[in-house]
Amino acid sequence: MAFLHLDTWLFGEWLAQSERPRLLAGASIGAWRMAAAVHPDGPAATRRLGEAYLECQRYRLQPSPHEVSQACAQVVNATLGPVPAFIDGASRGHTLAVITARARGALAHQARKRDFIRPALANLVARHRLGAHLQRVVFEHPGSTSAPHGHSGAGLQALIEPADPFHTVQVPLHARNVAQALLASGSIPLVAQAVVNPADAPSGQYWDGGLIDYHLLLNWSRLDGLVLYPHFAPYLTAGWLDKSLPWRRAAQRGASAALSRMVLAVPSPELLAKLPGGKLPDRRDFHVYGLDHDRRIRRWRQAMAECEAMVDDLDGFIRRPDPSRLEPLEA
């Protein structure tokens, strides 16, 4: 949640000045952030998300997946507020796409640690082989009346390649499944519970959308205009299982179609050096600080406050662009 202030400014001030419909897509906590962005009161929803994310995750040592799922559900519910009001007022012409991963094959019947070995090995051989174990299911807000500029079709589906190894399915996002979809998109296997049988979606167990789309490395070149991606690293990794495979980084292998229109906004090394521990907050902090939740939360709040500098920096760059500060992703 280090980008809390940046989200509030992006969606509450800068992008709000233009009525152009946009595709707001996310997986895992990115989906939660995008849901807050399209909320009828976006800035307030973003603040609720940040506060709940900090305060609801006061786990005991080695919490059960059930405990983690309960805490995540509290964060999702705090962000959404009254669901009918969210659905009726959300979107403002934008398309909200919540990405999830539905278990397939043997993984659909078991969710033990050893059951994830085969998908991991399949992905190691080739990313497309992961499609035999996980299906991409995208929940999209049905109130969007126009597709993003520059391509036909609606929403995220238009960015999927014809030879899609993940057999992407699009499901309307509505009052009966919005909380389920958001919770599923952030349900990390073995850490949280799967969401089972979301309303009006194919039956099965649904997991964190980042398993397939960790950094949303899709064919964004089909959009007209730029794709803005506030991100924590100066590179993109296709799937969560690719994190330990540096040769899968897009910036190293040259994913020109995906990156040709993308602008990645990342914290500078100077900003990172000011943060506690010299890094952005992440899940490892739960192990570092253990039961000292107050100390961890203070450190996270400090990081969030320091990252507010990104708002002034990006705003200044937009007002007075400096090409020397731009670096090619494929360098």
Side-chain angles (χ1 to χ4, degrees), residues 54-55 57-58 289-302:
L54 290 172
E55 296 295 341
Q57 299 194 88
R58 293 176 176 267
Y289 296 102
L291 294 176
D292 193 352
H293 301 301
D294 290 339
R295 182 166 177 248
R296 172 180 54 80
I297 292 172
R298 282 197 303 271
R299 293 294 186 94
W300 283 14
R301 289 189 187 279
Q302 181 183 344

Side-chain angles (χ1 to χ4, degrees), residues 88 98 103 111 146 200 214 216 222 251 258 263 271 292 297 320:
D88 290 342
V98 177
S146 58
D200 296 332
Y214 187 45
L216 275 67
R222 295 183 181 181
V263 176
L271 176 58
D292 193 352
I297 292 172
R320 292 188 177 182

Side-chain angles (χ1 to χ4, degrees), residues 1-2 4 8 32 41 58 72 92 109 119 127 164 176 180 200 224 239 242 245 260-261 294 308-309 323:
M1 288 312 299
L4 176 75
T8 303
W32 300 359
D41 189 354
R58 293 176 176 267
C72 290
R92 291 173 290 180
H109 305 289
R127 172 168 158 78
D164 174 20
R176 295 191 306 278
Q180 295 172 314
D200 296 332
D224 177 24
D242 300 320
L245 311 178
S260 61
R261 295 183 183 274
D294 290 339
E308 189 172 3

Side-chain angles (χ1 to χ4, degrees), residues 227-236 259 262-266 326 329:
V227 178
L228 178 62
Y229 193 166
H231 194 36
F232 57 81
Y235 56 83
L236 296 179
L259 305 180
M262 180 174 287
V263 176
L264 216 60
V266 301
L326 298 176
L329 272 171

Side-chain angles (χ1 to χ4, degrees), residues 23 28 98 120 139 166 215 219 249 262 267 292 312 331:
L23 171 60
S28 197
V98 177
F139 293 80
F166 299 106
H215 293 164
N219 191 356
R249 289 181 181 178
M262 180 174 287
D292 193 352
D312 293 334

Side-chain angles (χ1 to χ4, degrees), residues 147-218:
H149 293 252
H151 63 79
S152 59
L156 199 76
Q157 187 72 44
L159 307 182
I160 306 300
E161 299 295 344
D164 174 20
F166 299 106
H167 308 284
T168 302
V169 172
Q170 185 173 312
V171 175
L173 189 69
H174 49 63
R176 295 191 306 278
N177 64 19
V178 61
Q180 295 172 314
L182 290 171
L183 183 58
S185 191
S187 293
I188 302 171
L190 308 178
V191 175
Q193 293 176 311
V195 172
V196 181
N197 301 339
D200 296 332
S203 62
Q205 299 186 62
Y206 285 69
W207 296 103
D208 193 317
L211 289 171
I212 297 174
D213 297 297
Y214 187 45
H215 293 164
L216 275 67
L217 191 57
L218 302 170

Side-chain angles (χ1 to χ4, degrees), residues 2 33 62 80 86 129 132 165 167 174 189 206 218 228 239 253 272 278 280 290 296 304-305 309 317:
R33 291 168 57 197
Q62 297 183 335
L80 291 176
F86 171 80
R129 294 196 176 189
H167 308 284
H174 49 63
Y206 285 69
L218 302 170
L228 178 62
R253 66 184 180 87
L272 291 175
L280 292 168
R296 172 180 54 80
M304 290 164 62
F317 180 84

